[in-house]
């Protein structure tokens, strides 16, 4: 399969995703929309991955988002697999008429996700994932939930029999991409105990490299299950 990935910021790269695609024999093209590259056409790929990006784009969409939003909706209306991560998942949820809003708590670092009883995802009942978000989404109509964390009751969803997947949590992150994300971020989280309840210090996030390695088999499960529908 040939897969298109839409990137929305220099600090939000595909991380482990491109390595996985190459290892499974898939080809891919990354479109750096934030750098002025044009949005691709739906007919040019077999699947679409909408990557994470600055959440400020939710309130102030960039000029190129109009074309990207049209592309997302074309894929949702079609038969090809669509995967959204972070901001990408929020935009897909929005396109499916779900509510997207600020969560009760910001969530950064390593947190436990507990699977929903009706979850269709091939993942352990509990697993640790990387979080980096302030916004959350409601469950789109006719979607099934992944499960949730203490700060975000819905960490993902599956729609149209698994053809469309949205993940708020990050299974693709690596030590290098997390470091890049931290170094490039502008911290706007209020320094109150409540706001910091689910926000880990940068040193705590990066101190155990094995955590990033343990995400690889989880990503493999999600990606394999997602592309089976193609």
């Amino acid at each position: 399969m040939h897969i298109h990935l839409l990137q929305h910021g220099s600090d939000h790269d595909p991380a482990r995703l491109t390595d996985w695609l190459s290892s499974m024999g898939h080809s891919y093209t990354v479109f750096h929309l934030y750098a002025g590259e044009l949005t691709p056409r739906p007919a040019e790929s077999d699947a679409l991955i909408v990557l994470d990006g600055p959440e400020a784009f939710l309130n102030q969409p960039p000029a190129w988002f109009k074309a990207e939003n049209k592309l997302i909706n074309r894929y949702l209306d079609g038969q090809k697999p669509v995967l959204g991560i972070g901001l990408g998942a929020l935009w897909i949820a929005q396109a499916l008429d779900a509510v997207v809003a600020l969560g009760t708590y910001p969530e950064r670092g390593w947190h436990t996700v507990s699977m929903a009883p009706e979850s269709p995802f091939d993942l352990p009942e509990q697993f640790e994932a990387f979080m980096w978000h302030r916004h959350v989404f409601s469950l789109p109509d006719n979607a099934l939930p992944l499960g949730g964390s203490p700060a975000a009751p819905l960490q993902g969803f599956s729609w149209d029999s698994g053809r469309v997947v949205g993940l708020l949590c990050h299974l693709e992150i690596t030590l290098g991409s997390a470091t890049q994300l931290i170094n490039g971020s502008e911290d706007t989280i209020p320094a109150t105990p409540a706001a910091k309840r689910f926000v880990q210090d940068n040193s705590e996030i990066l101190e155990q490299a094995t955590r990033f390695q343990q995400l690889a088999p989880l990503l493999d499960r999600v990606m394999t299950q997602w592309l089976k529908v193609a």
Side-chain angles (χ1 to χ4, degrees):
M1 297 178 68
H2 186 74
I3 298 174
H4 284 169
L5 298 92
L6 307 182
Q7 185 171 340
H8 309 108
S10 59
D11 301 321
H12 299 83
D13 62 27
R16 189 176 278 113
L17 282 168
T18 48
D19 289 341
W20 187 91
L21 291 172
S22 295
S23 71
M24 299 303 292
H26 302 295
S27 58
Y28 64 86
T29 305
V30 180
F31 291 84
H32 304 86
L33 303 185
Y34 65 96
E37 293 185 5
L38 295 179
T39 304
R41 297 176 181 178
E44 296 173 345
S45 74
D46 302 303
L48 179 70
I49 298 177
V50 189
L51 297 172
D52 195 12
E55 287 190 35
F57 287 168
L58 290 167
N59 297 321
Q60 292 184 318
W64 40 261
F65 177 65
K66 183 177 180 180
E68 179 176 6
N69 189 47
K70 183 178 179 180
L71 178 69
I72 290 171
N73 279 279
R74 286 282 299 275
Y75 271 90
L76 292 176
D77 291 340
Q79 301 299 319
K80 296 178 180 180
V82 185
L83 169 65
I85 299 173
L87 177 67
L90 292 162
W91 273 339
I92 289 172
Q94 194 169 265
L96 293 173
D97 296 323
V99 176
V100 172
L102 278 173
T104 304
Y105 301 101
E107 195 172 27
R108 286 190 182 180
W110 299 96
H111 300 281
T112 299
V113 176
S114 298
M115 298 287 281
E118 66 274 36
S119 175
F121 289 84
D122 178 26
L123 289 168
E125 289 186 9
Q126 285 194 329
F127 60 90
E128 190 178 56
F130 184 83
M131 316 292 186
W132 193 273
H133 67 92
R134 296 190 67 182
H135 287 75
V136 294
F137 42 62
S138 64
L139 187 66
D141 288 344
N142 303 313
L144 291 173
L146 166 67
S149 64
L154 184 62
Q155 283 285 343
F157 61 85
S158 171
W159 185 79
D160 194 19
S161 301
R163 179 178 69 89
V164 177
V165 170
L167 297 175
L168 193 60
C169 59
H170 295 269
L171 304 180
E172 84 291 352
I173 202 85
T174 64
L175 177 60
S177 60
T179 302
Q180 181 174 274
L181 185 62
I182 288 169
N183 290 341
S185 71
E186 295 181 6
D187 197 348
T188 57
I189 296 175
T192 64
K196 295 288 188 179
R197 182 176 175 184
F198 298 101
V199 175
Q200 295 172 355
D201 292 337
N202 295 340
S203 58
E204 184 179 359
I205 291 173
L206 301 175
E207 67 182 356
Q208 295 184 40
T210 54
R211 279 175 153 171
F212 296 95
Q213 298 165 9
Q214 290 165 359
L215 293 176
L218 302 179
L219 178 68
D220 176 66
R221 286 194 189 191
V222 169
M223 295 293 289
T224 300
Q225 183 180 8
W226 172 58
L227 289 181
K228 275 184 179 178
V229 303

